[in-house]
Amino acid sequence: MNGGAVWWVFFYALSAFTLFNALLVVTGKNLFKCALHLMLVFLGVAGLFLLQGAFLLAGVQTLIYTGGVTTLILFAIMLSEEVVGRQRQLVSRGVSIGISAAICFLGIALTIFGTAVAQLPENYGVHIAPVAQFVAEASHLPMGNVRAVGVALLTQFLVPFEFASVLLVVAVIGAIVIARLAGGK
Amino acid sequence: MHYLVLSALLFSIGIYGVLTRRNAIAILMGIELMLNAVNLNFVAVCASLTPNQITGQIFAAFVIVVAAAEACIGFALIIAIYRNFAKVNVDDINIMRW
Amino acid sequence: MSLTQLCERLLNWTGLPVEVWVGLVVAVIIFLFMTVIVLAVVYLFRKFAGFIQLRLGPRYVGPRGVLQTVCDAVKLLAKEDIIPAEADKGIFIAAPLIVFLPAYLAYIVIPFGQPPHFQPKDLNLGILYVLAITSITVVGIITAGWASGSKWATIGGMRSGAQLISYEVPMSLAVLVPVLISGSLSMKDIAEMQGDRIWYWNAFNISYFGLAFIAFVIYMICALAETNQIPFDLPEAESELVAGYNVEYSGMRFAFFFLAEFSNLFVVCAIATTLFLGGWYAPLPFLPDDGFWSLLWFMLKTLTLVFIVLWIRSTYPRVRIDQLMEFAWKRLFPIALIDLGIVSLIVALR
């Protein structure tokens, strides 16, 4: 079995896993379960990042999304629902509108991709790392190198980087203020 | 192409979630799905068009930062809304609509 | 047919690359290692706590009671599996696994001895991988509390969740200090950077004016909180808080939480050893530290740290939740931040 085939196996398995859990997120009846499926989506996306050789991004995705955002969602659920006893069932409304909007978007996106791909080289959107390398040397691919990302962040993208840090500080302070002042306390 | 299709599918699922859910937390979960789809696209396109550069990953990292800030503020708002209204269904929060 | 030939035949027959099989074998070895370590640490803890509290500890099963923890483990596994009527069954079953898996996966990057033989896999991301993986534990704990369908467990889960994410912040900042000093995230590189002279180890290196030692202390305090050890063991406060997220769990599922907790205790001490105490190196250059000696040195240092934790555990009372949170955000966090700032200045100016 050559590297490419294993790569595709990984890719399809992860894609199916991600999409399946994403569907459960938007159709599930139990909000808490939806959040747990969302965590699995985040993990699947991290795996897909790994397949592209974006190791640092996969780590950051796990740290921030799986560890951070999921926890935040769980806390929000527990603070805003009747956690003990009967859970409120989630209801969906306007399912037909939702489905048609999603299909519309999918159609537009695929059309655009289709026309764009016609002008692009073969294998567009796929970067195949040989699987032997993937398993054995997962950490030493040039892409996703921590140092490269760090250098790029502090030279070429310094201004957005600083803005991002300011944004985070503002967001944290804002969140504290909003959550604290609410309810007149 | 496969990554593009995958991320388009994920994005559509996110749109569906945002449009059909009534619970504000579930809507935010749909938005997170869409952001993840965008990130996938950034990384995949960058990896195939310019394999030696990491611009796509940097962009994805910025998206993650913005998403974290968005989630932080969003859930703070939800908690504030819950304290005032004792519910988080977006249809019921229409006090501004006089 | 010799054994190697047989293995080769099997390999060819399955058609999978050899790395997959190596990975599987390593996974099994790590699991066994983890179980043995946890059983040993629990036994040592009981003997040690007995010694400190003027008791004898386990005595009857096996010579000096060494098999006591094995028996307890078997007892736990053989217990009736109770799922509360109010519990959300699927999530209730999944939660121990969400807590256990990160604890298990964290072993992959730890250099137990001289790489490559004693380190399962040296990742470029190293310590970031560990932080990312262990951050999933919080989800499992909140989930466990929620899925139990009991208000004690739910409130306990939120309490533990708040504790874990609060202490993750100063812990990450403290971890960044050795990362800055060695300029790498890889566990192997960080350990190799310190070398076999005790005065070059990060915790004792005087060229950082003791700042790295402060980071070490902060890391260990956070490690106590992350692994629910006294004085931060609110989930174990049966008398005043009715335990915590795990109050509805029993038998095998409880064993998973228990295993994860003690395994995490070992892992955080092993990480502290790698980051601050020179990893597998001997303290002085003339002492042997190659081959199995490196494993010996690593375990010696790690178990010393484990003993310090257990010593604290059998000596101190536990704190209240408000004291716990205040300590993290108003004391540890500023100290860690200032410490990191000064260390980065020193590193930049050098």
Side-chain angles (χ1 to χ4, degrees), chain C residues 264-283:
Chain C
N264 274 335
L265 170 64
F266 180 78
V267 165
V268 289
C269 290
I271 292 169
T273 304
T274 316
L275 294 184
F276 295 101
L277 298 180
W280 63 89
Y281 285 105

Side-chain angles (χ1 to χ4, degrees), chain C:
Chain C
M1 199 193 306
S2 72
L3 194 65
T4 43
Q5 274 174 327
L6 187 71
C7 290
E8 256 174 49
R9 274 278 183 87
L10 274 173
L11 266 179
N12 291 335
W13 179 71
T14 52
L16 288 169
V18 68
E19 287 90 353
V20 175
W21 290 106
V22 173
L24 282 178
V25 170
V26 169
V28 172
I29 291 176
I30 292 177
F31 183 75
L32 292 177
F33 181 75
M34 176 175 172
T35 320
V36 169
I37 281 285
V38 168
L39 289 177
V41 167
V42 173
Y43 167 73
L44 288 174
F45 165 60
R46 290 169 72 170
K47 270 295 189 197
F48 188 61
F51 170 71
I52 286 181
Q53 296 161 355
L54 298 179
R55 297 183 285 117
L56 287 172
R59 283 181 67 204
Y60 293 108
V61 191
R64 293 180 169 267
V66 277
L67 295 178
Q68 181 67 49
T69 46
V70 181
C71 291
D72 287 348
V74 172
K75 183 198 77 178
L76 267 183
L77 295 186
K79 267 190 170 176
E80 185 193 351
D81 181 28
I82 301 169
I83 297 180
E86 283 288 306
D88 192 312
K89 212 173 165 199
I91 305 182
F92 188 81
I93 294 170
L97 288 178
I98 306 180
V99 174
F100 171 76
L101 275 180
Y104 171 59
L105 290 174
Y107 278 81
I108 290 179
V109 292
I110 296 176
F112 294 101
Q114 214 169 24
H117 298 300
F118 295 109
Q119 187 182 22
K121 182 88 197 78
D122 181 49
L123 292 181
N124 212 338
L125 290 177
I127 187 68
L128 179 68
Y129 165 83
V130 175
L131 288 178
I133 284 289
T134 49
S135 70
I136 300 177
T137 312
V138 189
V139 177
I141 281 175
I142 298 177
T143 306
W146 181 83
S148 301
S150 127
K151 40 174 111 51
W152 308 111
T154 308
I155 295 172
M158 290 189 72
R159 199 167 51 219
S160 297
Q163 171 181 346
L164 290 187
I165 40 181
S166 302
Y167 278 86
E168 223 164 77
V169 177
M171 187 172 184
S172 313
L173 289 175
V175 159
L176 281 181
V177 168
V179 168
L180 264 180
I181 291 174
S182 56
S184 169
L185 285 169
S186 147
M187 305 284 270
K188 172 170 154 270
D189 291 355
I190 293 176
E192 273 173 358
M193 199 64 77
Q194 300 173 58
D196 56 0
R197 289 170 174 79
I198 189 167
W199 54 91
Y200 284 147
W201 292 356
N202 280 333
F204 308 119
N205 195 333
I206 46 162
S207 59
Y208 298 99
F209 309 109
L211 290 168
F213 188 74
I214 295 176
F216 173 56
V217 173
I218 291 175
Y219 178 86
M220 283 315 289
I221 293 173
C222 296
L224 288 180
E226 290 282 312
T227 53
N228 295 327
Q229 299 293 328
I230 283 179
F232 309 113
D233 67 333
L234 298 169
E236 266 181 46
E238 296 98 343
S239 45
E240 65 265 39
L241 297 173
V242 203
Y245 60 91
N246 52 13
V247 65
E248 299 288 346
Y249 280 86
S250 60
M252 178 139 169
R253 304 187 204 294
F254 180 77
F256 267 115
F257 283 122
F258 194 74
L259 188 62
E261 188 179 316
F262 271 87
S263 154
N264 274 335
L265 170 64
F266 180 78
V267 165
V268 289
C269 290
I271 292 169
T273 304
T274 316
L275 294 184
F276 295 101
L277 298 180
W280 63 89
Y281 285 105
L284 293 167
F286 57 83
L287 294 169
D289 59 1
D290 46 350
F292 277 96
W293 282 103
S294 61
L295 187 65
L296 184 76
W297 282 114
F298 188 88
M299 294 309 270
L300 196 67
K301 293 178 198 172
T302 307
L303 287 179
T304 312
L305 287 180
V306 171
F307 264 109
I308 292 174
V309 171
L310 297 181
W311 187 6
I312 294 171
R313 186 179 170 129
S314 29
T315 324
Y316 279 91
R318 71 173 65 93
V319 297
R320 282 199 320 265
I321 180 74
D322 57 324
Q323 295 167 334
L324 178 97
M325 302 300 279
E326 254 177 45
F327 185 62
W329 288 106
K330 295 187 182 166
R331 305 279 186 285
L332 283 185
F333 177 63
I335 296 174
L337 200 59
I338 294 168
D339 193 57
L340 180 67
I342 301 175
V343 169
S344 55
L345 258 183
I346 295 174
V347 170
L349 294 178
R350 203 177 39 191

Side-chain angles (χ1 to χ4, degrees), chain A residues 93-171:
Chain A
R93 135 222 73 173
V95 174
S96 52
I97 300 175
I99 290 178
S100 42
I103 289 177
C104 274
F105 170 79
L106 198 61
I108 294 169
L110 292 184
T111 319
I112 293 172
F113 292 159
T115 47
V117 165
Q119 303 157 8
L120 288 167
E122 247 346 77
N123 260 353
Y124 178 58
V126 176
H127 166 77
I128 297 186
V131 75
Q133 204 183 358
F134 177 70
V135 177
E137 304 247 335
S139 48
H140 302 300
L141 284 178
M143 291 229 328
N145 195 329
V146 185
R147 185 174 295 273
V149 175
V151 168
L153 269 182
L154 287 179
T155 53
Q156 202 181 348
F157 298 97
L158 182 59
V159 176
F161 179 70
E162 295 295 338
F163 272 120
S165 55
V166 172
L167 173 74
L168 278 181
V169 173
V170 172

Side-chain angles (χ1 to χ4, degrees), chain A residues 28 48 52 61 93 124 143 179, chain B residues 1 3 20 36 51 83 91:
Chain A
L48 288 163
Q52 292 282 10
Q61 163 96 5
R93 135 222 73 173
Y124 178 58
M143 291 229 328
Chain B
M1 190 63 196
Y3 262 90
T20 56
N36 266 279
R83 286 206 187 142
D91 289 357

